[in-house]
Amino acid sequence: MKNVEVNDLRSALELLESIPGQLVETNVEVDPNAELSGVYRHVGAGGTVERPTQEGPAMVFNNVKGHEGARVAIGVLSSRKRVGYLLGEDPKKLGFLLKNSVEHPVKSVVIPNEQAKCQEVVHLATEEGFDIRKLLPAPTNTPEDAGPYITLGMCYASNPKTGESDVTIHRMCLQSKDEISIFLMPGARHIGYFRELAEAAGEPLPISVSIGVDPAIEIASCFEPPTTPLGYDELQAAGAIRKKPVELVQCLTINERAIANAEYVIEGEILPNVRVREDQNSNTGKAMPEFPGYCGPANPELPIIKVKAITTRKNPIMQTCIGPSEEHVSMAGIPTEASILAMVDKALPGKCLNVYNASFGGGKYVTIMQFKKTMPSDEGRQRQAALLAFSAFAELKHVILVDEDVDIFDINDVMWAMTTRFQADVDLITIPGVQCHPLDPSNNPAYHPGIRERGVACKAIFDCTVPFDQKDRFQRAQFMDVDPKHWLPDMF
């Protein structure tokens, strides 16, 4: 493995190229319309993608149909182990790294335009022939997608009243030569609030979308309240991970900033009181595959970004991901683990040893918590920790509690604990009528008459911990502790 300082997409790919099994590329032509994602499904998508799939290397396509000279990178974060390489941390300790990054923010800095790599090439919307669909090799995940999607765009905008800025990732569909629809989940993202303020004043909201950036930024941008409340710019957490400020640059056509070393930057404005049907070009009724593994329904009306310019690096690399892939698990799950660790540690210091937001929950729906009971009064506190997890992350649906002798990153070990340390009539705690996540198709009145509205459903705690007074009955078989390298040095 090379000693590479990762600070952008290109250095990230350079590092991965030096590690066996972490990056592959192809010069065979690929169609961005469903075929590209169809290929990567087999190579390394993982997550909740329909089988057959696997967790495999990141991939770069060097020959994209209809986009001469363009390259597309996919799956850069589709492995927790790979995220560990890119962030310089043990994969099992990534939640702690992210927790510490939020607690010790490093403010971003603005560099001069002439130093910004993202502005080496400039395409203005006023130029003849300008068309974002030709400039951006944005793929579709399936043949039923509403259109080409930007899935890894770092949206950066500012509060029109206070000037405080925020970075988040949103679902964005290319709708015309200079229009992009953007899905802003109500009450869940700060940029949605900024848009509401601007629209109430009858003003557009300037917004930049940076594509192809340092993986630390992509991970940090997925933090949510209460960990990063309104006014907290998540780029500060990315700066803390790298121990140096994220570099921004002033946009050329709007009053906003962008990530200076991004591969692509879209400059535009979210127009007030303008809406568009998400699938107006496909009429499929579907948007794109979302993290639970199902295609999300097309939204009947979404705000529009009116594009003013696209700036790029020379020979830019488009970065994308498959919605239900392991990449989403990394981006959504690891910041959530950090949020839960922070909240639980404040209330119950030293009791929660680790947290894992597992792949089968898409990084959002399921948390596995490793809890240590050291005294009789700890009994019941494990369930308090689970309730705190729900408070830290409202979209969470299930919490699985296990003891310190269970490897939370080994799902077979977790299921073993559920099989031998769980009785549903006493260890299953349900909390009905709570806000969950609208993309879970079971959180719908059509699924159960007791569900009043889409997204309002039942949370559950699966307490697979051993009662403190019975710990002696549940001792795992103790094997001799030896070093297998003595017998099989090439295997270990």
Side-chain angles (χ1 to χ4, degrees):
M1 182 172 71
K2 281 186 179 179
N3 183 19
V4 178
E5 180 183 353
V6 177
N7 56 21
D8 62 3
L9 176 60
R10 297 187 187 199
S11 54
L13 294 176
E14 182 184 356
L15 174 65
L16 296 181
E17 188 177 26
S18 72
I19 306 171
Q22 293 302 319
L23 180 68
V24 295
E25 60 181 295
T26 178
N27 294 321
V28 179
E29 184 183 69
V30 67
D31 192 332
N33 185 20
E35 188 174 57
L36 187 150
S37 293
V39 172
Y40 192 65
R41 168 199 176 188
H42 292 279
V43 174
T48 58
V49 171
E50 182 186 21
R51 275 48 186 165
T53 188
Q54 64 178 348
E55 186 177 309
M59 187 171 185
V60 175
F61 292 87
N62 295 320
N63 187 353
V64 183
K65 184 178 180 181
H67 297 275
E68 185 177 353
R71 292 174 289 167
V72 176
I74 188 171
V76 174
L77 300 173
S78 282
S79 155
R80 193 179 183 100
K81 183 177 182 180
R82 190 149 61 244
V83 174
Y85 286 133
L86 292 168
L87 299 189
E89 184 57 271
D90 180 342
K92 293 185 178 182
K93 296 180 180 178
L94 287 169
F96 294 96
L97 172 68
L98 268 289
K99 171 180 173 290
N100 292 335
S101 73
V102 172
E103 294 171 350
H104 301 90
V106 175
K107 289 186 177 182
S108 304
V109 297
V110 179
I111 66 171
N113 291 82
E114 58 270 19
Q115 296 179 14
K117 295 179 181 178
C118 71
Q119 294 178 349
E120 291 175 337
V121 181
V122 178
H123 305 276
L124 299 176
T126 54
E127 296 172 350
E128 185 177 353
F130 179 87
D131 193 331
I132 59 175
R133 296 165 298 189
K134 296 177 181 179
L135 293 170
L136 297 168
T140 61
N141 277 187
T142 77
E144 295 182 306
D145 284 13
Y149 274 91
I150 298 168
T151 55
L152 281 177
M154 306 300 111
C155 298
Y156 196 78
S158 302
N159 187 318
K161 291 187 176 182
T162 67
E164 295 170 330
S165 302
D166 187 72
V167 61
T168 51
I169 299 175
H170 296 278
R171 184 172 94 197
M172 293 177 286
C173 184
L174 308 189
Q175 296 291 351
S176 70
K177 67 181 181 65
D178 63 353
E179 292 180 330
I180 301 172
S181 62
I182 180 169
F183 178 69
L184 300 162
M185 187 177 294
R189 297 289 189 276
H190 298 162
I191 288 180
Y193 175 65
F194 300 163
R195 183 202 65 78
E196 292 171 2
L197 291 176
E199 186 168 83
E203 299 290 334
L205 179 72
I207 185 171
S208 70
V209 182
S210 300
I211 305 168
V213 299
D214 181 352
I217 296 174
E218 294 165 344
I219 293 284
S221 69
C222 293
F223 271 112
E224 297 181 15
T227 305
T228 54
L230 191 65
Y232 187 104
D233 185 347
E234 286 82 3
L235 289 180
Q236 298 175 106
I241 293 172
R242 296 301 186 202
K243 296 181 174 57
K244 65 179 183 179
V246 172
E247 293 183 341
L248 300 174
V249 66
Q250 180 64 37
C251 293
L252 301 177
T253 62
I254 60 171
N255 185 24
E256 192 49 88
R257 293 158 294 172
I259 297 167
N261 59 14
E263 296 289 328
Y264 292 84
V265 171
I266 301 168
E267 300 182 5
E269 295 176 330
I270 302 180
L271 301 180
N273 304 308
V274 177
R275 303 290 187 272
V276 67
R277 180 165 58 90
E278 192 170 15
D279 66 334
Q280 65 173 346
N281 295 313
S282 69
N283 296 306
T284 61
K286 297 181 179 180
M288 59 168 280
E290 291 283 5
F291 70 90
Y294 304 90
C295 281
N299 200 296
E301 52 177 38
L302 289 178
I304 280 290
I305 299 174
K306 193 73 169 179
V307 178
K308 301 289 187 181
I310 291 180
T311 70
T312 77
R313 297 179 69 156
K314 294 176 182 177
N315 303 310
I317 306 170
M318 182 74 181
Q319 189 177 1
T320 188
C321 76
I322 293 175
S325 70
E326 188 71 17
E327 195 147 19
H328 184 279
V329 176
S330 297
M331 291 189 296
I334 298 171
T336 303
E337 294 166 12
S339 299
I340 293 171
L341 284 166
M343 182 163 283
V344 175
D345 194 55
K346 288 178 182 177
L348 303 167
K351 297 300 179 184
C352 182
L353 302 184
N354 211 340
V355 174
Y356 174 42
N357 274 43
S359 299
F360 59 85
K364 280 181 174 281
Y365 287 168
V366 179
T367 285
I368 304 167
M369 300 180 68
Q370 188 183 53
F371 193 89
K372 184 175 184 178
K373 302 174 187 176
T374 59
M375 60 187 72
S377 61
D378 285 341
E379 190 58 56
R381 295 190 189 278
Q382 76 277 12
R383 299 182 182 186
Q384 180 186 350
L387 293 172
L388 288 167
F390 287 135
S391 299
F393 193 66
E395 297 173 336
L396 184 61
K397 183 179 182 181
H398 293 155
V399 172
I400 302 173
L401 296 163
V402 297
D403 294 295
E404 67 271 22
D405 63 341
V406 177
D407 183 352
I408 62 174
F409 297 96
D410 184 339
I411 301 306
N412 280 334
D413 213 30
V414 174
M415 289 298 99
W416 167 81
M418 182 172 285
T419 301
T420 65
R421 299 177 175 183
F422 174 85
Q423 289 294 325
D425 58 339
V426 293
D427 295 321
L428 174 63
I429 302 96
T430 59
I431 311 169
V434 187
Q435 185 67 44
C436 293
H437 198 288
L439 288 178
D440 180 350
S442 69
N443 294 350
N444 193 293
Y447 185 86
H448 189 285
I451 298 175
R452 293 183 178 180
E453 292 187 29
R454 180 184 172 195
V456 177
C458 184
K459 297 182 185 292
I461 300 169
F462 298 82
D463 188 353
C464 305
T465 63
V466 173
F468 183 80
D469 61 0
Q470 296 187 42
K471 276 186 170 287
D472 290 344
R473 294 186 55 242
F474 289 85
Q475 288 289 331
R476 300 183 78 152
Q478 299 295 301
F479 291 83
M480 182 182 291
D481 190 12
V482 299
D483 185 356
K485 290 181 181 179
H486 180 72
W487 290 269
L488 296 168
D490 294 333
M491 183 174 177
F492 295 93

